[in-house]
Amino acid sequence: DAYENYGTYQHAPDLANTNCAPAYDFVNLDSHPNDDNGHGTHVTGTIAQSTNNAMGVAGIAFNTTIMPVKVLDSNGIGTTLRVVNGIYYATDNGARIINMSLGGTSTNLTERNALAYAYEHGVTVVCAAGNKYQEGNPPQYPAAYDDYVIAVGATRYDRNRAYYSNTGSYLDVVAPGGDTTAYQNGDGYPDGILQQTFSGGNPSDFFYPFFQGTSMASPHVAGVAALILARNPGWTPDQVRQALESTATDLGAVGRDDAYGWGLIDAAAAVAWSPPTPTPTPTPTPAPTSAPKDFGDAPEAALAYPSTGVLGSFPTCLGAGPAAYIEHGQGSARLAYRPAPPYPQEAWDAEPDGNAGFCPTFSPNQYDRDESFRDGDAGLIMPEPYTIVGPPGSESVIPCSG
């Protein structure tokens, strides 16, 4: 941009109060990256035009600091090497946001790697989606490197997609890009984006032209990203992206679509957005022991039914009384008991009151045991010689009473 008085270059009057960081010119290989095309000055104005100065127009993030890095020549043409060098330079010298109002149809691994480097170093990269919709709508790079950049399409005054704006799966959001063929707002001027730049290739003759393009839309998003980071300086590129996308005004088809991405940026909502509070993961309840552990002298190896050695579990009674009944069985049985919380639950314990031996057999169909327990889980261990008498599946444990 026209950010300094240097030789034939003049500092743009409406950028006089805009902060600038040391920068570099990868075209002329010096530290004076002055604009000799006019495009960069216009783009810079949208991001950080001096504001409250009784002159011209406002910038979105007018207190932000601009680091001019020149990679395009006076004809607006650049090489991949210059662009890549510019990305690394900006990243290594403290830039938090890189606006790239440029693009082409060629993909390049070197450029992709540079963008990955910027992203991994906490730099939010915002790119123009391209102006080639009427020329076959080919994907534009670097905008289509969607893992590392926010791709921005353009809308008109009426919020419809501008006729030139590329569409595609890589498009993330849209922003005002202008349409100089339309006169929708009734001010008598073409509906372009108004900012100060210079005319006729003369970087000392400044005026306020209306431009159009995704190059004009991209700095709107970069400016809002700067406001987001001013409020949340520790945020990552992913958080900045989420703030922009989740608060955008949905246009076109419901939800994300290839014409509008997630929608038209909403600066106030994006700046006010906060990441959702994660839902705490509940602590899983340990699964109960599948079978009582017998510390007594009852053999468990030859259980006939069931294979776990447990017919069932039930709340035991408080106080003395019949503890359980086994229906349709005969033989010997042992009652095992596991205390309920808050009592220790390290193991199941046969004979919890210290009694030894087995329950006496009172009839072929019923065993009972006179035990005293705290409330908890109980089961019955079936040592030999337990046999089933009755229909298969009819075995059950009846909760105690009394």
Side-chain angles (χ1 to χ4, degrees):
D1 64 87
Y3 82 107
E4 66 172 353
N5 295 317
Y6 178 74
T8 60
Y9 298 99
Q10 298 296 310
H11 197 165
D14 214 358
L15 291 173
N17 298 326
T18 299
N19 301 316
C20 288
Y24 197 77
D25 181 344
F26 286 97
V27 176
N28 300 299
L29 303 179
D30 60 31
S31 58
H32 301 282
N34 286 287
D35 185 11
D36 51 11
N37 175 273
H39 181 271
T41 301
H42 197 282
V43 166
T44 301
T46 297
I47 298 172
Q49 193 84 281
S50 299
T51 304
N52 295 327
N53 60 348
M55 180 185 296
V57 294
I60 292 172
F62 52 83
N63 283 330
T64 198
T65 297
I66 297 296
M67 179 188 293
V69 179
K70 184 173 180 175
V71 297
L72 304 181
D73 62 20
S74 60
N75 296 310
I77 297 172
T79 65
T80 298
L81 179 60
R82 291 176 189 164
V83 172
V84 167
N85 285 339
I87 295 169
Y88 282 113
Y89 178 91
T91 301
D92 290 342
N93 285 277
R96 295 297 311 280
I97 300 165
I98 297 176
N99 180 78
M100 303 183 72
S101 289
L102 52 80
T105 57
S106 297
T107 179
N108 185 286
L109 182 59
T110 303
E111 184 178 55
R112 183 187 184 96
N113 288 342
L115 292 165
Y117 178 83
Y119 169 81
E120 291 163 0
H121 285 76
V123 180
T124 298
V125 183
V126 183
C127 297
N131 306 323
K132 303 293 185 181
Y133 182 80
Q134 294 183 309
E135 299 163 42
N137 196 35
Q140 297 290 295
Y141 297 90
Y145 295 122
D146 200 37
D147 289 341
Y148 309 117
V149 310
I150 298 171
V152 185
T155 55
R156 312 190 316 167
Y157 177 80
D158 62 4
R159 297 189 172 188
N160 285 317
R161 182 185 64 84
Y163 68 90
Y164 53 79
S165 184
N166 275 44
T167 64
S169 60
Y170 63 92
L171 187 67
D172 295 307
V173 291
V174 292
D179 180 354
T180 56
T181 69
Y183 295 81
Q184 295 179 327
N185 66 1
D187 65 359
Y189 296 99
D191 291 343
I193 302 302
L194 183 68
Q195 285 296 345
Q196 187 182 62
T197 190
F198 52 85
S199 64
N202 181 358
S204 62
D205 183 12
F206 294 94
F207 74 127
Y208 291 89
F210 293 94
F211 283 4
Q212 69 173 28
T214 56
S215 282
M216 283 60 254
S218 183
H220 281 83
V221 176
V224 175
L227 296 177
I228 292 170
L229 286 178
R231 184 172 182 178
N232 307 282
W235 279 14
T236 66
D238 288 340
Q239 289 173 306
V240 174
R241 177 194 288 269
Q242 190 176 2
L244 290 164
E245 293 178 351
S246 65
T247 60
T249 300
D250 193 16
L251 300 175
V254 176
R256 196 215 158 270
D257 62 78
D258 287 353
Y260 297 94
W262 291 101
L264 180 66
I265 58 165
D266 183 331
V271 172
W273 180 85
S274 296
T277 303
T279 302
T281 302
T283 302
T285 302
T289 305
S290 60
K293 182 176 181 180
D294 181 18
F295 291 121
D297 57 357
E300 293 183 45
L303 298 182
Y305 176 85
S307 60
T308 62
V310 182
L311 286 176
S313 63
F314 56 93
T316 59
C317 303
L318 292 173
Y325 298 96
I326 308 170
E327 293 183 338
H328 306 296
Q330 65 181 19
S332 298
R334 168 171 291 174
L335 185 64
Y337 169 70
R338 187 186 190 204
Y343 306 109
Q345 296 199 26
E346 287 78 8
W348 291 75
D349 189 6
E351 314 297 309
D353 62 353
N355 294 339
F358 302 115
C359 301
T361 301
F362 291 96
S363 74
N365 294 333
Q366 188 180 88
Y367 305 138
D368 69 1
R369 177 76 179 240
D370 188 4
E371 298 272 12
S372 176
F373 301 107
R374 294 168 175 160
D375 191 34
D377 296 323
L380 288 154
I381 297 176
M382 299 293 106
E384 292 183 290
Y386 175 73
T387 57
I388 297 173
V389 178
S394 63
E395 301 75 32
S396 64
V397 173
I398 300 175
C400 62
S401 60

